[in-house]
mmCIF file of all heavy atoms in Angstrom:
data_model
loop_
_atom_site.group_PDB
_atom_site.id
_atom_site.type_symbol
_atom_site.label_atom_id
_atom_site.label_comp_id
_atom_site.label_asym_id
_atom_site.label_seq_id
_atom_site.Cartn_x
_atom_site.Cartn_y
_atom_site.Cartn_z
ATOM 1 N N GLU A 127 45.996 17.713 -8.589
ATOM 2 C CA GLU A 127 44.979 18.796 -8.519
ATOM 3 C C GLU A 127 43.681 18.251 -9.120
ATOM 4 O O GLU A 127 42.580 18.470 -8.516
ATOM 5 C CB GLU A 127 45.386 20.005 -9.283
ATOM 6 C CG GLU A 127 46.417 20.856 -8.618
ATOM 7 C CD GLU A 127 46.901 22.033 -9.463
ATOM 8 O OE1 GLU A 127 46.091 22.488 -10.309
ATOM 9 O OE2 GLU A 127 47.962 22.478 -9.219
ATOM 10 N N ARG A 128 43.787 17.492 -10.298
ATOM 11 C CA ARG A 128 42.568 17.124 -10.905
ATOM 12 C C ARG A 128 41.883 15.974 -10.001
ATOM 13 O O ARG A 128 40.627 15.939 -9.979
ATOM 14 C CB ARG A 128 42.909 16.505 -12.356
ATOM 15 C CG ARG A 128 43.204 17.484 -13.277
ATOM 16 C CD ARG A 128 43.554 16.878 -14.560
ATOM 17 N NE ARG A 128 44.012 17.886 -15.555
ATOM 18 C CZ ARG A 128 44.799 17.750 -16.572
ATOM 19 N NH1 ARG A 128 45.313 16.552 -16.781
ATOM 20 N NH2 ARG A 128 45.143 18.667 -17.347
ATOM 21 N N HIS A 129 42.704 15.139 -9.363
ATOM 22 C CA HIS A 129 42.134 14.153 -8.501
ATOM 23 C C HIS A 129 41.389 14.818 -7.348
ATOM 24 O O HIS A 129 40.370 14.361 -6.965
ATOM 25 C CB HIS A 129 43.269 13.249 -8.055
ATOM 26 C CG HIS A 129 42.837 12.154 -7.133
ATOM 27 N ND1 HIS A 129 42.143 10.995 -7.600
ATOM 28 C CD2 HIS A 129 42.946 11.931 -5.799
ATOM 29 C CE1 HIS A 129 41.841 10.249 -6.551
ATOM 30 N NE2 HIS A 129 42.234 10.810 -5.421
ATOM 31 N N SER A 130 42.048 15.859 -6.757
ATOM 32 C CA SER A 130 41.383 16.536 -5.685
ATOM 33 C C SER A 130 40.069 17.218 -6.080
ATOM 34 O O SER A 130 39.084 17.158 -5.397
ATOM 35 C CB SER A 130 42.310 17.647 -5.126
ATOM 36 O OG SER A 130 43.501 17.030 -4.533
ATOM 37 N N GLU A 131 40.087 17.785 -7.261
ATOM 38 C CA GLU A 131 38.951 18.425 -7.815
ATOM 39 C C GLU A 131 37.774 17.410 -8.080
ATOM 40 O O GLU A 131 36.579 17.527 -7.718
ATOM 41 C CB GLU A 131 39.091 19.162 -9.083
ATOM 42 C CG GLU A 131 40.004 20.353 -9.001
ATOM 43 C CD GLU A 131 40.442 20.976 -10.392
ATOM 44 O OE1 GLU A 131 40.141 20.385 -11.299
ATOM 45 O OE2 GLU A 131 41.061 21.952 -10.306
ATOM 46 N N ALA A 132 38.190 16.194 -8.588
ATOM 47 C CA ALA A 132 37.218 15.150 -8.858
ATOM 48 C C ALA A 132 36.717 14.611 -7.494
ATOM 49 O O ALA A 132 35.449 14.369 -7.395
ATOM 50 C CB ALA A 132 37.890 13.953 -9.565
ATOM 51 N N GLU A 133 37.558 14.440 -6.493
ATOM 52 C CA GLU A 133 37.045 14.090 -5.108
ATOM 53 C C GLU A 133 36.026 15.038 -4.536
ATOM 54 O O GLU A 133 35.041 14.682 -3.965
ATOM 55 C CB GLU A 133 38.182 13.857 -4.195
ATOM 56 C CG GLU A 133 39.006 12.486 -4.414
ATOM 57 C CD GLU A 133 40.162 12.343 -3.443
ATOM 58 O OE1 GLU A 133 40.553 13.329 -2.814
ATOM 59 O OE2 GLU A 133 40.493 11.162 -3.293
ATOM 60 N N ALA A 134 36.335 16.390 -4.744
ATOM 61 C CA ALA A 134 35.433 17.368 -4.245
ATOM 62 C C ALA A 134 34.038 17.313 -5.017
ATOM 63 O O ALA A 134 33.023 17.461 -4.328
ATOM 64 C CB ALA A 134 36.094 18.715 -4.485
ATOM 65 N N LYS A 135 34.153 17.137 -6.247
ATOM 66 C CA LYS A 135 32.783 16.928 -7.069
ATOM 67 C C LYS A 135 32.090 15.761 -6.630
ATOM 68 O O LYS A 135 30.807 15.747 -6.473
ATOM 69 C CB LYS A 135 33.189 16.885 -8.574
ATOM 70 C CG LYS A 135 33.571 18.278 -9.144
ATOM 71 C CD LYS A 135 33.956 18.067 -10.617
ATOM 72 C CE LYS A 135 34.450 19.406 -11.205
ATOM 73 N NZ LYS A 135 34.743 19.304 -12.691
ATOM 74 N N ILE A 136 32.795 14.730 -6.345
ATOM 75 C CA ILE A 136 32.074 13.406 -6.018
ATOM 76 C C ILE A 136 31.477 13.636 -4.662
ATOM 77 O O ILE A 136 30.266 13.130 -4.441
ATOM 78 C CB ILE A 136 33.134 12.251 -5.984
ATOM 79 C CG1 ILE A 136 33.497 11.887 -7.339
ATOM 80 C CG2 ILE A 136 32.633 11.082 -5.154
ATOM 81 C CD1 ILE A 136 34.703 10.822 -7.469
ATOM 82 N N ALA A 137 32.229 14.303 -3.650
ATOM 83 C CA ALA A 137 31.693 14.527 -2.382
ATOM 84 C C ALA A 137 30.413 15.454 -2.506
ATOM 85 O O ALA A 137 29.378 15.170 -1.846
ATOM 86 C CB ALA A 137 32.676 15.176 -1.517
ATOM 87 N N LYS A 138 30.467 16.405 -3.339
ATOM 88 C CA LYS A 138 29.292 17.257 -3.492
ATOM 89 C C LYS A 138 28.150 16.482 -4.060
ATOM 90 O O LYS A 138 27.032 16.642 -3.647
ATOM 91 C CB LYS A 138 29.679 18.468 -4.399
ATOM 92 C CG LYS A 138 28.660 19.462 -4.697
ATOM 93 C CD LYS A 138 29.100 20.647 -5.551
ATOM 94 C CE LYS A 138 28.117 21.781 -5.594
ATOM 95 N NZ LYS A 138 28.522 22.857 -6.464
ATOM 96 N N LEU A 139 28.384 15.682 -5.094
ATOM 97 C CA LEU A 139 27.362 14.872 -5.739
ATOM 98 C C LEU A 139 26.796 13.922 -4.767
ATOM 99 O O LEU A 139 25.577 13.542 -4.664
ATOM 100 C CB LEU A 139 27.909 14.169 -7.023
ATOM 101 C CG LEU A 139 28.128 15.056 -8.136
ATOM 102 C CD1 LEU A 139 28.763 14.323 -9.219
ATOM 103 C CD2 LEU A 139 26.891 15.651 -8.595
ATOM 104 N N GLU A 140 27.615 13.305 -3.867
ATOM 105 C CA GLU A 140 27.178 12.372 -2.778
ATOM 106 C C GLU A 140 26.182 13.154 -1.868
ATOM 107 O O GLU A 140 25.204 12.574 -1.451
ATOM 108 C CB GLU A 140 28.275 11.730 -2.078
ATOM 109 C CG GLU A 140 29.026 10.710 -2.938
ATOM 110 C CD GLU A 140 30.278 10.143 -2.285
ATOM 111 O OE1 GLU A 140 30.709 10.756 -1.193
ATOM 112 O OE2 GLU A 140 30.772 9.096 -2.661
ATOM 113 N N GLY A 141 26.524 14.390 -1.524
ATOM 114 C CA GLY A 141 25.651 15.211 -0.678
ATOM 115 C C GLY A 141 24.372 15.419 -1.365
ATOM 116 O O GLY A 141 23.264 15.465 -0.728
ATOM 117 N N VAL A 142 24.313 15.751 -2.728
ATOM 118 C CA VAL A 142 23.030 15.988 -3.348
ATOM 119 C C VAL A 142 22.396 14.699 -3.461
ATOM 120 O O VAL A 142 21.035 14.709 -3.232
ATOM 121 C CB VAL A 142 23.535 16.410 -4.872
ATOM 122 C CG1 VAL A 142 22.270 16.455 -5.741
ATOM 123 C CG2 VAL A 142 24.082 17.785 -4.831
ATOM 124 N N ILE A 143 22.950 13.540 -3.660
ATOM 125 C CA ILE A 143 22.206 12.254 -3.673
ATOM 126 C C ILE A 143 21.540 12.043 -2.386
ATOM 127 O O ILE A 143 20.383 11.571 -2.343
ATOM 128 C CB ILE A 143 23.169 11.109 -4.059
ATOM 129 C CG1 ILE A 143 23.524 11.261 -5.515
ATOM 130 C CG2 ILE A 143 22.576 9.706 -3.794
ATOM 131 C CD1 ILE A 143 24.737 10.286 -6.052
ATOM 132 N N GLU A 144 22.262 12.265 -1.252
ATOM 133 C CA GLU A 144 21.712 12.059 0.018
ATOM 134 C C GLU A 144 20.430 12.912 0.327
ATOM 135 O O GLU A 144 19.425 12.507 0.874
ATOM 136 C CB GLU A 144 22.631 12.266 1.177
ATOM 137 C CG GLU A 144 23.753 11.174 1.188
ATOM 138 C CD GLU A 144 23.151 9.738 1.584
ATOM 139 O OE1 GLU A 144 22.157 9.660 2.396
ATOM 140 O OE2 GLU A 144 23.521 8.880 0.822
ATOM 141 N N SER A 145 20.500 14.222 -0.201
ATOM 142 C CA SER A 145 19.441 15.113 -0.108
ATOM 143 C C SER A 145 18.309 14.640 -0.893
ATOM 144 O O SER A 145 17.098 14.673 -0.492
ATOM 145 C CB SER A 145 19.805 16.536 -0.670
ATOM 146 O OG SER A 145 20.779 17.124 0.245
ATOM 147 N N LEU A 146 18.544 14.126 -2.038
ATOM 148 C CA LEU A 146 17.406 13.617 -2.957
ATOM 149 C C LEU A 146 16.790 12.400 -2.267
ATOM 150 O O LEU A 146 15.580 12.102 -2.382
ATOM 151 C CB LEU A 146 17.977 13.305 -4.327
ATOM 152 C CG LEU A 146 18.254 14.640 -5.107
ATOM 153 C CD1 LEU A 146 18.941 14.142 -6.510
ATOM 154 C CD2 LEU A 146 17.065 15.422 -5.426
ATOM 155 N N LYS A 147 17.583 11.499 -1.690
ATOM 156 C CA LYS A 147 17.067 10.308 -1.005
ATOM 157 C C LYS A 147 16.152 10.733 0.172
ATOM 158 O O LYS A 147 15.052 10.172 0.272
ATOM 159 C CB LYS A 147 18.228 9.472 -0.449
ATOM 160 C CG LYS A 147 18.924 8.760 -1.495
ATOM 161 C CD LYS A 147 20.011 7.790 -0.825
ATOM 162 C CE LYS A 147 20.887 7.001 -1.767
ATOM 163 N NZ LYS A 147 21.831 6.224 -1.255
ATOM 164 N N ILE A 148 16.526 11.826 0.895
ATOM 165 C CA ILE A 148 15.701 12.249 1.974
ATOM 166 C C ILE A 148 14.332 12.864 1.460
ATOM 167 O O ILE A 148 13.326 12.531 1.914
ATOM 168 C CB ILE A 148 16.447 13.299 2.807
ATOM 169 C CG1 ILE A 148 17.518 12.673 3.601
ATOM 170 C CG2 ILE A 148 15.494 13.995 3.812
ATOM 171 C CD1 ILE A 148 18.586 13.641 4.219
ATOM 172 N N GLU A 149 14.516 13.679 0.308
ATOM 173 C CA GLU A 149 13.280 14.219 -0.224
ATOM 174 C C GLU A 149 12.390 13.052 -0.858
ATOM 175 O O GLU A 149 11.170 13.186 -0.623
ATOM 176 C CB GLU A 149 13.642 15.108 -1.393
ATOM 177 C CG GLU A 149 14.228 16.531 -0.993
ATOM 178 C CD GLU A 149 14.474 17.476 -2.103
ATOM 179 O OE1 GLU A 149 13.773 17.389 -3.119
ATOM 180 O OE2 GLU A 149 15.452 18.236 -1.966
ATOM 181 N N LEU A 150 13.001 12.016 -1.426
ATOM 182 C CA LEU A 150 12.206 11.021 -1.935
ATOM 183 C C LEU A 150 11.439 10.211 -0.751
ATOM 184 O O LEU A 150 10.385 9.898 -0.886
ATOM 185 C CB LEU A 150 13.097 10.035 -2.708
ATOM 186 C CG LEU A 150 12.409 8.796 -3.320
ATOM 187 C CD1 LEU A 150 11.372 9.194 -4.297
ATOM 188 C CD2 LEU A 150 13.485 7.861 -3.961
ATOM 189 N N ALA A 151 12.181 10.038 0.265
ATOM 190 C CA ALA A 151 11.625 9.308 1.448
ATOM 191 C C ALA A 151 10.477 10.161 1.938
ATOM 192 O O ALA A 151 9.308 9.612 2.246
ATOM 193 C CB ALA A 151 12.642 9.045 2.525
ATOM 194 N N ASP A 152 10.749 11.457 2.065
ATOM 195 C CA ASP A 152 9.657 12.313 2.538
ATOM 196 C C ASP A 152 8.320 12.352 1.572
ATOM 197 O O ASP A 152 7.270 12.316 1.992
ATOM 198 C CB ASP A 152 10.104 13.824 2.789
ATOM 199 C CG ASP A 152 11.112 13.868 3.915
ATOM 200 O OD1 ASP A 152 11.209 12.942 4.721
ATOM 201 O OD2 ASP A 152 11.799 15.037 3.998
ATOM 202 N N ALA A 153 8.668 12.404 0.319
ATOM 203 C CA ALA A 153 7.511 12.332 -0.729
ATOM 204 C C ALA A 153 6.821 10.999 -0.584
ATOM 205 O O ALA A 153 5.543 11.055 -0.715
ATOM 206 C CB ALA A 153 8.184 12.628 -2.043
ATOM 207 N N ARG A 154 7.532 9.887 -0.455
ATOM 208 C CA ARG A 154 6.931 8.661 -0.397
ATOM 209 C C ARG A 154 6.023 8.574 0.940
ATOM 210 O O ARG A 154 4.866 8.082 0.944
ATOM 211 C CB ARG A 154 7.901 7.509 -0.258
ATOM 212 C CG ARG A 154 8.476 7.171 -1.641
ATOM 213 C CD ARG A 154 9.439 6.065 -1.512
ATOM 214 N NE ARG A 154 9.977 5.691 -2.867
ATOM 215 C CZ ARG A 154 11.060 4.997 -3.081
ATOM 216 N NH1 ARG A 154 11.689 4.469 -1.981
ATOM 217 N NH2 ARG A 154 11.557 4.823 -4.262
ATOM 218 N N GLU A 155 6.501 9.124 2.037
ATOM 219 C CA GLU A 155 5.754 9.067 3.253
ATOM 220 C C GLU A 155 4.567 9.947 3.101
ATOM 221 O O GLU A 155 3.488 9.516 3.545
ATOM 222 C CB GLU A 155 6.685 9.614 4.362
ATOM 223 C CG GLU A 155 5.984 9.541 5.710
ATOM 224 C CD GLU A 155 7.021 9.992 6.854
ATOM 225 O OE1 GLU A 155 8.202 9.851 6.755
ATOM 226 O OE2 GLU A 155 6.398 10.531 7.782
ATOM 227 N N ALA A 156 4.640 11.079 2.418
ATOM 228 C CA ALA A 156 3.554 12.002 2.206
ATOM 229 C C ALA A 156 2.479 11.402 1.398
ATOM 230 O O ALA A 156 1.298 11.369 1.586
ATOM 231 C CB ALA A 156 3.978 13.303 1.674
ATOM 232 N N ALA A 157 2.990 10.619 0.317
ATOM 233 C CA ALA A 157 2.008 9.948 -0.512
ATOM 234 C C ALA A 157 1.301 8.841 0.126
ATOM 235 O O ALA A 157 0.160 8.585 -0.031
ATOM 236 C CB ALA A 157 2.809 9.402 -1.809
ATOM 237 N N THR A 158 2.105 8.062 0.935
ATOM 238 C CA THR A 158 1.404 6.957 1.699
ATOM 239 C C THR A 158 0.393 7.690 2.682
ATOM 240 O O THR A 158 -0.665 7.038 2.809
ATOM 241 C CB THR A 158 2.514 6.202 2.509
ATOM 242 O OG1 THR A 158 3.414 5.687 1.564
ATOM 243 C CG2 THR A 158 1.923 5.042 3.274
ATOM 244 N N THR A 159 0.778 8.635 3.302
ATOM 245 C CA THR A 159 -0.132 9.349 4.374
ATOM 246 C C THR A 159 -1.480 9.753 3.583
ATOM 247 O O THR A 159 -2.550 9.597 4.042
ATOM 248 C CB THR A 159 0.556 10.533 5.063
ATOM 249 O OG1 THR A 159 1.706 9.880 5.732
ATOM 250 C CG2 THR A 159 -0.383 11.076 6.049
ATOM 251 N N ALA A 160 -1.273 10.392 2.405
ATOM 252 C CA ALA A 160 -2.414 10.889 1.534
ATOM 253 C C ALA A 160 -3.206 9.791 1.169
ATOM 254 O O ALA A 160 -4.385 9.868 1.115
ATOM 255 C CB ALA A 160 -1.897 11.773 0.468
ATOM 256 N N ARG A 161 -2.656 8.605 0.667
ATOM 257 C CA ARG A 161 -3.367 7.478 0.211
ATOM 258 C C ARG A 161 -4.137 6.899 1.374
ATOM 259 O O ARG A 161 -5.298 6.500 1.225
ATOM 260 C CB ARG A 161 -2.458 6.565 -0.326
ATOM 261 C CG ARG A 161 -3.149 5.314 -0.998
ATOM 262 C CD ARG A 161 -2.216 4.224 -1.574
ATOM 263 N NE ARG A 161 -1.550 3.649 -0.379
ATOM 264 C CZ ARG A 161 -0.324 3.140 -0.405
ATOM 265 N NH1 ARG A 161 0.344 3.113 -1.471
ATOM 266 N NH2 ARG A 161 0.233 2.758 0.671
#
C-alpha cells in the first residue's frame, strides 16, 4: 500500500514538473519575444 501511494505521489509530482517545464518554456519564449 505504501509503495502504491508513493508511486501515485511520484506520478503526480512528475505531472507537476512537466507542467512547470511547459510554463518555464512559455515564460522563456515570452521573455525572448519581449526582449
Side-chain angles (χ1 to χ4, degrees):
E127 285 179 22
R128 288 180 185 153
H129 182 73
S130 296
E131 290 171 0
E133 283 183 340
K135 287 179 182 179
I136 289 170
K138 186 176 181 179
L139 289 173
E140 286 174 344
V142 169
I143 289 170
E144 287 302 314
S145 294
L146 290 173
K147 283 181 181 179
I148 292 170
E149 285 183 35
L150 179 62
D152 291 346
R154 283 182 179 164
E155 185 178 329
T158 302
T159 303
R161 186 185 64 210

